[in-house]
Amino acid sequence: MIKTLIVPGLVVVASIFGAVTLMATAPKLEPTAVEAIATTVRVVAADPQPIRLRVHSQGTVSPNTESVLIPEVSGRVVWMSPSLVNGGYFEQGAELLRLEAGDYRSALDRSQANLTRAKAEYEHARFEYQRLKSLEERKLTSRSQMENSLRAYRVAEASLNDAKAAFEQASRDLTRTTLRAPFNGLVRSESVDIGQFVSRGASIATLYASDQAEVRLPIADRQLAFLNLPVGHRGELPLDEQPAVTLSAEYAGRKLTWHGRIVRTEAQIDTATRMVHVIARVTNESQEAPLSVGLFVNADIEGLLVEDIVVLPRTALRNGNRVLVVDEEDRLRYREIEPLRLYRDEVLIRAGLSAGDRVCLSPLQTAIDGMPVNPVIDGTTTEPTDPTS
């Protein structure tokens, strides 16, 4: 009976003692604050420097000088130059076409005969007038005879002048039976053949000069601010104010470039596109290959030189005109900036950043002002459009 009561009691006491001992010796849990893991971001150091702005456009090449070949006399075509075909090349002064000249030679011979007769009559009238004038001084002739002699002299003089003009006209008409090239150039089109009768004033070919070519380039009004063009200037720009332009195109399986100048701007604004057109001119003599008329080209126009510009990828912009910079404590800070221009995949910043500021380039879904980050210098550098040292 005693064993039955004592043994269970000892077991219970031992269990209680063990539980108390475990509770007394158990380790105490102390709460600790969770430290945020800093996000690794790519940064680039701001580097203000002078930038040459560029403006791009496109256009089709057209001739600087284009002329319609029109005969000044009528006649039948008896000879054509081999160059008088579509695409034919000719030099200034070269014969392009001849008209039948027999009738004009006959007219020149007749005018020569009339001129000879008029000279003879004029000399006779002048001699008679001088003779009667000497007689009048000695009072040996009447007043009426003197007046008749003077009238005949003046009529003969007028007839001589008329004969001279007719002779010169006949000479010009004979010369005009041969049509010559007014400049070095190419034939755009022709519509005449040997044996065809052409009338005076009828168009027979279209020619254009090959020494220079022009491109009409549309420029948006807001982009004109990036070009060094005088405001309100009319006519061709002075040479020292003509911006340089580089034209490029894929031609004959290779990329070609040509260098020229913006020589003038058109006074009117296109009402449909709200564009202003500038004219680029290229002198073919100074180029590696001549600029072909009708070619579609890309134009890169040299603009203003601006100082202290920071060039960043366009993705660096956050919520409008703001960027994220990393301060000295490696925390993100929003910074208001003043962009000059969004150019392709770049943004040109003229105010808001100083040299050495670390600008965050990494895309962040949630960026909080003051958020700690682990900045890593970006391995790719952003080159300016056209740095000028």
Side-chain angles (χ1 to χ4, degrees):
M1 185 68 179
I2 295 174
K3 287 182 179 180
T4 306
L5 295 174
I6 294 174
V7 172
L10 292 175
V11 172
V12 171
V13 172
S15 299
I16 294 173
F17 180 76
V20 172
T21 302
L22 290 175
M23 293 176 63
T25 58
K28 295 182 179 180
L29 298 178
E30 296 181 0
T32 57
V34 179
E35 294 185 3
I37 300 176
T39 303
T40 300
V41 296
R42 294 182 299 112
V43 297
V44 64
D47 182 21
Q49 54 188 299
I51 300 295
R52 177 71 68 179
L53 299 179
R54 318 292 297 188
V55 173
H56 291 84
S57 185
Q58 297 174 318
T60 302
V61 180
S62 60
N64 178 40
T65 302
E66 187 170 6
S67 177
V68 178
L69 189 64
I70 298 177
E72 297 181 78
V73 295
S74 301
R76 184 171 57 87
V77 178
V78 296
W79 180 83
M80 286 179 58
S81 168
S83 300
L84 193 58
V85 293
N86 291 354
Y89 174 77
F90 53 83
E91 295 184 351
Q92 184 176 6
E95 292 187 5
L96 298 179
L97 183 139
R98 295 180 198 153
L99 302 178
E100 191 174 26
D103 293 344
Y104 297 100
R105 290 195 185 95
S106 299
L108 181 62
D109 292 340
R110 289 196 299 270
S111 63
Q112 176 67 60
N114 291 334
L115 178 59
T116 302
R117 182 172 56 252
K119 284 182 179 180
E121 292 177 352
Y122 169 75
E123 290 174 356
H124 175 71
R126 185 180 62 177
F127 173 77
E128 281 297 315
Y129 173 70
Q130 291 175 349
R131 185 178 67 85
L132 290 176
K133 190 174 182 180
S134 64
L135 292 176
E136 183 188 26
E137 293 174 353
R138 291 179 288 172
K139 301 186 182 298
L140 297 177
T141 184
S142 65
R143 183 65 182 175
S144 61
Q145 288 179 325
M146 189 63 194
E147 290 177 352
N148 289 336
S149 176
L150 178 60
R151 180 184 61 80
Y153 171 65
R154 289 177 175 173
V155 168
E157 185 179 21
S159 298
L160 177 61
N161 292 334
D162 181 68
K164 286 181 179 179
F167 178 77
E168 292 174 357
Q169 180 66 50
S171 299
R172 286 195 300 270
D173 288 344
L174 180 60
T175 303
R176 289 168 178 168
T177 58
T178 300
L179 278 69
R180 298 182 180 274
F183 42 70
N184 296 340
L186 298 166
V187 179
R188 182 188 287 273
S189 62
E190 58 88 16
S191 57
V192 68
D193 211 339
I194 293 179
Q196 179 179 344
F197 183 87
V198 295
S199 300
R200 176 181 179 180
S203 172
I204 60 176
T206 301
L207 317 175
Y208 64 88
S210 60
D211 57 339
Q212 292 181 330
E214 291 186 348
V215 186
R216 188 169 179 257
L217 301 171
I219 303 293
D221 176 66
R222 63 181 179 275
Q223 290 187 315
L224 287 178
F226 305 137
L227 297 178
N228 189 21
L229 296 176
V231 179
H233 183 84
R234 296 183 179 182
E236 191 156 317
L237 299 172
L239 184 60
D240 57 346
E241 297 182 4
Q242 296 177 358
V245 59
T246 300
L247 306 177
S248 61
E250 292 286 340
Y251 184 69
R254 57 187 182 136
K255 185 175 182 180
L256 298 177
T257 59
W258 300 269
H259 301 281
R261 292 278 179 180
I262 300 297
V263 296
R264 67 180 184 276
T265 60
E266 294 185 355
Q268 62 184 11
I269 299 175
D270 193 314
T271 56
T273 62
R274 310 310 302 172
M275 295 280 191
V276 177
H277 288 84
V278 300
I279 307 301
R281 182 179 299 165
V282 172
T283 301
N284 283 323
E285 296 177 357
S286 59
Q287 309 299 322
E288 180 181 355
L291 184 58
S292 301
V293 171
L295 188 66
F296 187 78
V297 295
N298 298 310
D300 182 2
I301 307 172
E302 183 180 277
L304 293 171
L305 177 66
V306 289
E307 302 289 339
D308 297 330
I309 299 297
V310 177
V311 182
L312 295 176
R314 185 179 291 203
T315 54
L317 290 178
R318 319 276 175 164
N319 301 327
N321 296 335
R322 295 199 300 174
V323 297
L324 284 171
V325 297
V326 179
D327 62 12
E328 295 81 0
E329 299 178 355
D330 290 343
R331 294 183 178 274
L332 288 180
R333 303 295 180 185
Y334 278 104
R335 180 78 60 82
E336 294 286 340
I337 55 95
E338 183 180 350
L340 172 65
R341 183 187 186 192
L342 294 175
Y343 179 77
R344 294 181 175 175
D345 294 330
E346 298 173 345
V347 56
L348 308 184
I349 300 173
R350 61 182 171 188
L353 292 175
S354 302
D357 284 345
R358 296 180 295 175
V359 182
C360 176
L361 301 181
S362 297
L364 299 174
Q365 289 185 345
T366 303
I368 302 174
D369 193 279
M371 184 175 73
V373 292
N374 178 28
V376 176
I377 300 297
D378 187 58
T380 60
T381 58
T382 302
E383 295 293 337
T385 305
D386 184 10
T388 301
S389 56

